[in-house]
Amino acid sequence: MTTQPLRIRKAAVLGAGVMGAQIAAHLTNAGVETVLFDLPAKEGPKNGIAVKAIKHLAKLKPAPLGEKSLAASIIPADYDEHLAQLKDCDLVIEAIAERMDWKLDLYKKVAAHLPERAVIASNTSGLSINTLAEALPENLRHRFCGVHFFNPPRYMHLVELIPNKATDANVLNGLEGFLTTALGKGVVIARDTPNFIGNRIGVFSMLSTMVHTQAFGLGFDVVDALTGPAIGRPKSATYRTADVVGLDTMAHVIQTMADTLPDDPWHKYFKAPEWLAALIDKGALGQKNGAGFYRKNGKTIEVLDLGKQDYAPSEQKASDEVAAILANKDPAEKFGKLRESTDPQAQFLWACFRDLFHYTAYHLADIAETARDVDFAIRWGYGWKLGPFETWQAAGWQQVAGWIAEDIEAGKAMSDAPLPAWVTDGRRGVHHAAGSFSPAKGEDLPRSTHPVYARQLFPDPILGEKAPEGETVWENDGVRLWTLGDDRIGILSFKTKMNTVNDHVLDGIQQAVRVAEEQLDAMVIWQTREPFSAGADLKGALGLLQEGKLAAFEAMVANFQATSMAIKYAQIPVVAAVRGLCLGGGCEFQMHSARTVAALESYIGLVEAGVGLLPAGGGLKEIATRCSASPVGDAFDNVKRYFETVAMAKVAGSALEAKSFGLLRESDVVVFNSHELLYVAKQQARALAESGYRPPLPARHVKVAGEVGTATFKAQLVNMLEGYFISQHDFEIASRIADTLCGGQIERGSEVDEDWLLALERKHFVALAQMEKTQARIAHTMKTGKPLRN
């Protein structure tokens, strides 16, 4: 049996709606040539519907495309004129509306044009994959399955892979490899049951929450205060999530459960509550038309008050008693107190958890192979920190099971269906060192042995799993240099909050480079958790300034630059492995590395202008050096693209956009699955080391734009100042950025060295840092997390 990932050169997506267009966008992000199909337009070009959908991608937030220009690579098509485009596609994904009859008709229409080598998949969120397969010719059914992306497809980690009874195992394995590495997804294999795993459990959880909202007489905003971050779930909680999804969509999914699960013991609850139906009848469908459970009135967020049949300001929060219970770090104590409390909010939360646990355990055998599949589906598809089984096990498996059984016996649970026998067989949970419980096998099953997962050196852990600690080579209070396994590739990780950069980190990096040069073949800068780095420790820097310790402040800046140069000129390759935020000094460190390997979801930027400063860890020096070395254009033409990015403190919305900004090099590598980041970075480091890596020669002939270049930038800034687009302090900051990028007040075309440029960085940075308005910006950002315009 092969486990080779599928080689997808060209793909087609059938259906240019919200999901179809965004799936096409993400395939394009991954470098797959993609054709986007829809019905022929009644007016204008027949592919007009697909054309419009592609244009609309640029307006969506969060952005489906990693870089806006990629939209031009998506090929718009329609079913009348372009079905021949399917003949050379390796992957065809159907993503039209959730109507079985429409899907079956489309399959019959396209079947004759599908090549026998193609993998055909449906993005249905819950319709029968076996029924859909019957519409395809028999010779194609073995290459057909469900591939259910969650919305938005670029950002949501989960993809459910659902085989039909004829799906070839090699096809399934190959597709799992492609989805995992090429598209960066977390794949869960689901059984062909209504709504599969994620929506089966997730929608039930929302539905039971609605049932208990009514039973306990709680306000919608109170429920959201209780069912969001307070219990490890997203800020959108329950009713804000429903507004975002669309109340009509929510009602449709509930109706689908009612229609397709007639024998479910909870079936009588599979109906939209009266107040949900009333909102839909009024046309209040949620966020898409401005009102649902919530609406925005000016700057005020208002919530629907059922008693008053009107909206009122949203102010209610968890009661003091329940807030104190939820703050308890011991899950067993927390659940015990929730169950014992007479506070309606506590009773509500216990009821929601009880019925979720009950439902999930009852249906596990039907919907998934193991408890791990359910927990990952909910975590990756709904954004919960822990899945239902993990939450239950952390709270004490047998204790909670006993409470559930008592409530079932007392008629308090939503269903009188008994807990499965395996729940109360003396077990301590469903996740153990040997694996996760499979009711079908009656034993714990280990993780998949698919070779693609060997690339995940630190996979997303399930409850109880511990990551390997590696072997420490050297450490101080700021960093740890360590190795994993028996190779000679060092891994450098920061110890600070948000992986910010302070004196301990600066000194630590320099010493780690020296140790790595003596003992190792290469070094990777990788953080054990996101972000890569939120930049310099502003608190420490501001403290030095406010205490008047200017010499110490200047020394810190010089040390920052020395650290970047140590990375650049290390005698072993230093590879930066970036994911999440990579700002300020973090961005400068990766710019000085021999190579950067960045996860797609890396948000990279030189953001110092936002706090009234300029990059002074070698970032502007490195930009000027790269511009000088470019074989195309002169020094000023090349530096123009960077000036606006730095002066406006722009942050790239993806690693692909960071390349277009010039903050990543063309030779840098973009990885779509962040769990593969360390593996790929180590491979790059090893390849550089084994190919006889030598650091670059010192840049002594950097050709700069000089005072003419600075004057040109300043002329543009004056226009912006006079038009009130920027403040006087913005002008001051941007002028100093321009002066540094252009090499100072020297003739255009002059050649300088790196030390000259570093000195300019230091001079302007220290001058700005002493200004009252800059210190006000730093203090405001530290206090609020937001920039100050002054």
Side-chain angles (χ1 to χ4, degrees), residues 19 52 171 194 209 212 232 253 267 280 293 317 353 369 479 495-496 538 562 575 629 679 744 788:
M19 285 299 288
K52 186 176 179 181
V171 170
T209 301
H212 293 309
V253 173
H267 184 267
I280 294 168
F293 293 110
K317 305 200 178 295
F353 278 115
E369 181 64 52
V479 304
K495 297 180 179 181
T496 49
L538 291 176
V575 172
Y679 171 85
L788 171 69

Side-chain angles (χ1 to χ4, degrees), residues 182-202:
L183 298 190
K185 297 304 170 189
V187 175
V188 168
I189 309 293
R191 301 194 195 284
D192 185 22
T193 55
N195 288 359
F196 312 130
I197 300 173
N199 283 340
R200 181 73 175 273
I201 302 302

Side-chain angles (χ1 to χ4, degrees), residues 400-616:
V400 173
W403 291 339
I404 296 170
E406 285 176 19
D407 281 9
I408 294 170
E409 182 68 25
K412 294 179 180 179
M414 287 172 67
S415 169
D416 60 3
L419 283 168
W422 59 265
V423 170
T424 53
D425 64 1
R427 67 179 49 254
R428 297 176 64 184
V430 289
H431 302 302
H432 305 100
S436 296
F437 182 67
S438 164
K441 301 282 196 313
E443 60 182 346
D444 293 336
L445 299 184
R447 283 176 177 259
S448 169
T449 56
H450 194 303
V452 75
Y453 298 115
R455 297 167 59 89
Q456 298 186 12
L457 303 181
F458 288 85
D460 199 354
I462 203 77
L463 184 73
E465 289 181 340
K466 291 187 178 179
E469 294 182 0
E471 184 174 338
T472 299
V473 178
W474 179 86
E475 66 182 322
N476 71 350
D477 289 341
V479 304
R480 175 182 177 235
L481 177 64
W482 52 289
T483 55
L484 188 63
D486 57 359
D487 62 16
R488 288 170 52 85
I489 309 296
I491 302 166
L492 186 70
S493 304
F494 299 177
K495 297 180 179 181
T496 49
K497 184 179 180 181
M498 295 287 285
N499 298 319
T500 51
V501 181
N502 59 19
D503 288 338
H504 295 301
V505 171
L506 294 173
D507 294 341
I509 292 173
Q510 293 177 53
Q511 180 62 22
V513 167
R514 289 190 285 270
V515 171
E517 287 174 332
E518 292 174 3
Q519 301 181 27
L520 302 168
D521 296 333
M523 187 172 83
V524 173
I525 304 176
W526 178 80
Q527 313 298 6
T528 54
R529 62 181 61 85
E530 292 185 24
F532 179 75
S533 176
D537 174 15
L538 291 176
K539 184 178 180 181
L542 185 61
L544 289 174
L545 289 168
Q546 291 175 337
E547 293 169 18
K549 297 179 179 178
L550 193 59
F553 181 78
E554 291 178 347
M556 183 196 73
V557 179
N559 199 30
F560 219 122
Q561 293 179 334
T563 304
S564 292
M565 297 297 274
I567 291 170
K568 182 172 182 177
Y569 292 110
Q571 294 298 302
I572 43 103
V574 178
V575 172
V578 173
R579 57 180 170 169
L581 292 176
C582 177
L583 305 178
C587 177
E588 290 173 298
F589 289 161
Q590 68 82 22
M591 290 176 74
H592 285 81
S593 65
R595 182 158 297 159
T596 296
V597 178
L600 175 70
E601 301 310 331
S602 296
Y603 309 109
I604 302 173
L606 295 170
V607 295
E608 287 82 354
V611 289
L613 295 167
L614 53 69

Side-chain angles (χ1 to χ4, degrees), residues 177-221:
F178 170 77
L179 291 166
T180 302
T181 290
L183 298 190
K185 297 304 170 189
V187 175
V188 168
I189 309 293
R191 301 194 195 284
D192 185 22
T193 55
N195 288 359
F196 312 130
I197 300 173
N199 283 340
R200 181 73 175 273
I201 302 302
V203 172
F204 174 81
S205 178
M206 291 183 72
L207 192 54
S208 67
T209 301
M210 290 180 177
V211 168
H212 293 309
T213 298
Q214 194 162 5
F216 289 96
L218 301 181
F220 300 127
D221 53 345

Side-chain angles (χ1 to χ4, degrees), residues 666-744:
E666 282 306 309
S667 59
D668 290 334
V669 178
V670 178
V671 173
F672 274 58
N673 195 316
S674 64
H675 295 296
E676 297 182 358
L677 180 67
L678 180 58
Y679 171 85
V680 176
K682 289 184 69 176
Q683 293 291 93
Q684 290 286 320
R686 184 176 290 108
L688 286 169
E690 292 184 354
S691 61
Y693 175 80
R694 293 291 303 159
L697 292 169
R700 297 195 176 95
H701 304 283
V702 182
K703 191 173 287 188
V704 293
E707 56 189 359
V708 174
T710 303
T712 306
F713 283 129
K714 278 191 172 182
Q716 296 172 9
L717 292 170
V718 167
N719 290 334
M720 295 178 73
L721 182 63
E722 291 178 349
Y724 301 101
F725 294 108
I726 61 173
S727 69
Q728 184 63 51
H729 197 49
D730 291 329
F731 178 87
E732 181 72 30
I733 300 160
S735 297
R736 291 175 181 271
I737 289 170
D739 188 68
T740 309
L741 287 172
C742 294

Side-chain angles (χ1 to χ4, degrees), residues 102-125:
W102 291 359
K103 290 179 187 286
L104 296 177
D105 286 346
L106 179 60
Y107 290 9
K108 290 169 185 172
K109 186 181 187 76
V110 303
H113 301 272
L114 298 172
E116 287 201 10
R117 72 173 188 284
V119 173
I120 304 111
S122 174
N123 182 56
T124 177
S125 59

